């Protein structure tokens, strides 16, 4: 009975990348999680970084138009040894975030370790272990062809778990400051934003 009265929330999870960007859209009603859509954006066929960024913005904007998510969860880029690669990955993440911000969709960032921990119980889980647990959570088989999309689904599910934890529901302002991100920065630094 409680499930019928529960509002539906749609979450888009994005795993930023400069060659392949994975995404997953889930619908949550009560504690029931339903996979709405998932896939990958292939970027390696584009010759310049600018074209890749344009394609990311267009595809994420189209997904937002198609599925009207209430929130976006995105993976923080992990720190690598190559500063140039990190810069490009950060730009890819920023463009995906800009697509959501243009539609006033709140964004929360999660570290790869936090996402794996939330879904599998281990922050060092492999991509295959994450996919296996997602199939158990969603009670369905996921296409092996879209293995890169499983990270996007996992990020969305991680956000659902954390958005509904007792710590996050205590107050919305503490939620923003704990999670960080642009919203918290703007709130904490009004004089630095023009």
């Amino acid at each position: 009975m409680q499930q019928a009265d529960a509002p539906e929330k749609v979450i888009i999870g994005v795993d930023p990348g400069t060659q392949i960007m994975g995404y997953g859209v889930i619908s949550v009603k009560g504690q029931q999680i339903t996979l709405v859509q998932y896939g990958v954006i292939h970027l390696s066929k584009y010759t310049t970084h600018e074209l890749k960024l344009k394609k990311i913005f267009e595809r994420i904007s189209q997904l937002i138009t198609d599925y009207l998510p209430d929130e976006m969860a995105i993976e923080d880029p992990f720190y690598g040894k190559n500063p140039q690669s990190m810069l490009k990955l950060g730009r890819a993440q920023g463009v995906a975030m800009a697509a959501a911000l243009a539609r006033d969709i709140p964004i929360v960032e999660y570290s790869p370790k936090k996402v794996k921990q939330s879904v599998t119980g281990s922050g060092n889980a492999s991509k295959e272990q994450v996919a296996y647990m997602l199939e158990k959570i969603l009670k369905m088989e996921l296409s092996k062809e879209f293995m890169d999309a499983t990270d996007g689904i996992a990020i969305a599910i991680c956000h659902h778990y954390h958005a509904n934890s007792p710590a996050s529901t205590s107050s919305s302002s503490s939620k923003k400051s704990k999670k960080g991100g642009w919203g918290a920065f703007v709130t904490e630094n009004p004089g630095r934003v023009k």
Side-chain angles (χ1 to χ4, degrees):
M1 204 55 156
Q2 212 173 20
Q3 189 100 338
D5 298 340
E8 180 184 32
K9 183 194 291 188
V10 177
I11 302 167
I12 183 169
V14 178
D15 179 25
T18 56
Q19 299 301 315
I20 296 175
M21 180 174 273
Y23 64 87
V25 180
I26 63 169
S27 168
V28 180
K29 191 163 185 170
Q31 290 304 308
Q32 179 65 41
I33 302 169
T34 305
L35 181 61
V36 176
Q37 180 61 276
Y38 67 108
V40 294
I41 303 168
H42 292 282
L43 301 164
S44 55
K45 60 187 169 194
Y46 299 101
T47 54
T48 68
H49 190 61
E50 293 77 16
L51 280 174
K52 291 178 183 186
L53 296 176
K54 181 177 188 258
K55 186 65 176 177
I56 291 167
F57 186 84
E58 289 171 350
R59 274 300 280 135
I60 297 295
S61 295
Q62 188 61 54
L63 289 167
I64 289 169
T65 298
D66 291 348
Y67 300 105
L68 304 172
D70 298 295
E71 298 169 358
M72 174 187 272
I74 193 163
E75 192 170 87
D76 276 334
F78 60 89
Y79 299 100
K81 293 179 181 174
N82 184 336
Q84 193 63 31
S85 295
M86 284 306 303
L87 180 62
K88 287 180 178 179
L89 189 57
R91 287 177 184 157
Q93 181 198 35
V95 167
M97 292 170 77
L101 291 169
R103 299 286 289 272
D104 294 320
I105 296 170
I107 304 164
V108 181
E109 299 173 72
Y110 294 96
S111 72
K113 212 171 191 64
K114 176 70 115 185
V115 172
K116 291 175 184 178
Q117 174 76 36
S118 299
V119 173
T120 69
S122 168
N124 297 316
S126 68
K127 198 178 275 286
E128 291 75 21
Q129 289 170 317
V130 170
Y132 174 80
M133 285 307 296
L134 288 175
E135 289 181 339
K136 298 299 172 208
I137 292 166
L138 297 168
K139 299 175 180 71
M140 66 179 289
E141 192 173 326
L142 298 171
S143 171
K144 302 300 178 229
E145 180 186 350
F146 295 116
M147 188 61 91
D148 288 301
T150 56
D151 288 341
I153 302 166
I155 294 159
I157 290 175
C158 169
H159 177 63
H160 163 63
Y161 289 162
H162 289 278
N164 292 303
S165 70
S168 70
T169 54
S170 60
S171 82
S172 61
S173 63
S174 69
K175 176 180 170 184
K176 285 187 179 168
S177 62
K178 277 186 198 170
K179 302 265 194 253
W182 289 110
F185 177 81
V186 171
T187 303
E188 294 166 8
N189 300 283
R192 294 181 67 186
V193 180
K194 296 180 183 189

